Amino acid sequence: MRIFLTGASGFVGSAIVPELVRAGHRVLGLARSDASAEKLAAAGVDVHRGSLTDLDSLRRGAAACDGVIHCAFSHDDFNDYAGNCEKDRGAIEALGSALAGTDRPLVITSGTARFTPGRVVTEDEPLDASTGGGPRAASEQLALSFARRGVRVSSLRLPVVVHGDGDHGFVPMLIEIARKTGRSGYIGDGDNRWPAVHRLDAARLFVLALEKAQAGARLHAVGEEGVPTRDIAGVIGRKLGLPVESVPKEHFGWLGAFFALDTPASSALTQARFGWKPEQAGLLADLDHGTYFARA
């Protein structure tokens, strides 16, 4: 199949590309800049210029392909999460509309974090904005509604931490905060848990969802159900030679709201239904032996 991939040059998307190629698919990658286009071309990807806000370009890309994986998400302004989610909904509407009535696959990206804290979330639980699901819940609900419009749509939920070489998300931010403040902190007793997955494991699941998921399916790309944040801080402190201690949430700025989350999630149903097994290093091992502490 020819697959339209948004976010193709990003952290997760660039890992999906070789998985698609190994599975025998051709890739049409969305690129919003010359740098992204050059990166995709070098990887043997056909380039489709556009962006998440250029809805006509999204519709053209989807209509020209046999399936779509939508893993792009705007991170231009971390302080405007609601606005970023609104862009995501617009993109999903454009992609889904282009595929309506075709029974072609559309895999969209969601998350596991927006549920009731302190309990293990499963795939069968719907993400509901009215019960704390936040603005991204509306994106998942919109996407899955296309199952009634002849699209084989599925939602692949990523955990709070997707880790691996090239990570530029929450964990590198925690490392930089530790460097700047001279201590590696956790909040409260540090027993709150972050689920995690390696980007290469997540990439394999995106392809399985594309090929096998039924319309309306929800999948969890969760390699580890919940890593205590105190343990994350412990590895960071040891690698940097800094004290590890409990600190106020404000120590982390806006990131404190996320580092305080206790959002364990299970992938047991996904593993049983799709034969997916996490194979890569876990988060703490990746911190210990990966490239997180290398500086150019």
Side-chain angles (χ1 to χ4, degrees), residues 61-258:
C65 291
D66 303 301
V68 177
I69 297 177
H70 172 50
C71 73
F73 188 80
S74 177
H75 296 289
D76 292 340
D77 185 356
F78 278 105
N79 293 312
D80 188 19
Y81 181 67
N84 295 338
C85 290
E86 185 175 348
K87 293 178 186 177
D88 190 45
R89 287 193 297 278
I92 290 170
E93 174 66 40
L95 295 168
S97 295
L99 297 179
T102 67
D103 198 36
R104 294 176 187 171
L106 166 61
V107 184
I108 68 102
T109 308
S110 188
T112 66
R114 299 288 173 168
F115 289 87
T116 304
R119 63 178 182 82
V120 179
V121 176
T122 71
E123 295 89 330
D124 285 346
E125 296 179 64
L127 189 55
D128 188 348
S130 67
T131 58
R136 201 161 190 180
S139 296
E140 182 175 280
Q141 290 173 331
L142 170 63
L144 295 181
S145 73
F146 278 98
R148 300 190 296 272
R149 297 173 59 184
V151 181
R152 186 162 59 82
V153 61
S154 59
S155 175
L156 192 150
R157 293 170 176 169
L158 293 173
V160 175
V161 177
V162 181
H163 59 93
D165 292 350
D167 184 2
H168 50 268
F170 292 154
V171 172
M173 293 178 189
L174 293 173
I175 293 170
E176 287 308 305
I177 290 170
R179 282 192 169 117
K180 290 177 180 178
T181 63
R183 53 182 174 167
S184 181
Y186 54 87
I187 298 168
D189 58 13
D191 284 340
N192 61 301
R193 296 152 292 176
W194 269 9
V197 71
H198 196 285
R199 65 190 283 263
L200 300 182
D201 285 326
R204 285 192 298 108
L205 187 57
F206 270 102
V207 178
L208 286 171
L210 176 83
E211 295 176 339
K212 298 182 177 182
Q214 296 181 345
R218 294 183 287 264
L219 300 84
H220 280 190
V222 175
E224 295 175 281
E225 188 173 284
V227 182
T229 57
R230 183 180 59 249
D231 293 350
I232 298 171
V235 177
I236 294 173
R238 176 165 52 80
K239 297 290 284 190
L240 295 178
L242 296 174
V244 179
E245 55 192 61
S246 179
V247 297
K249 184 166 65 175
E250 292 72 25
H251 174 84
F252 300 97
W254 65 265
L255 183 57
F258 290 93

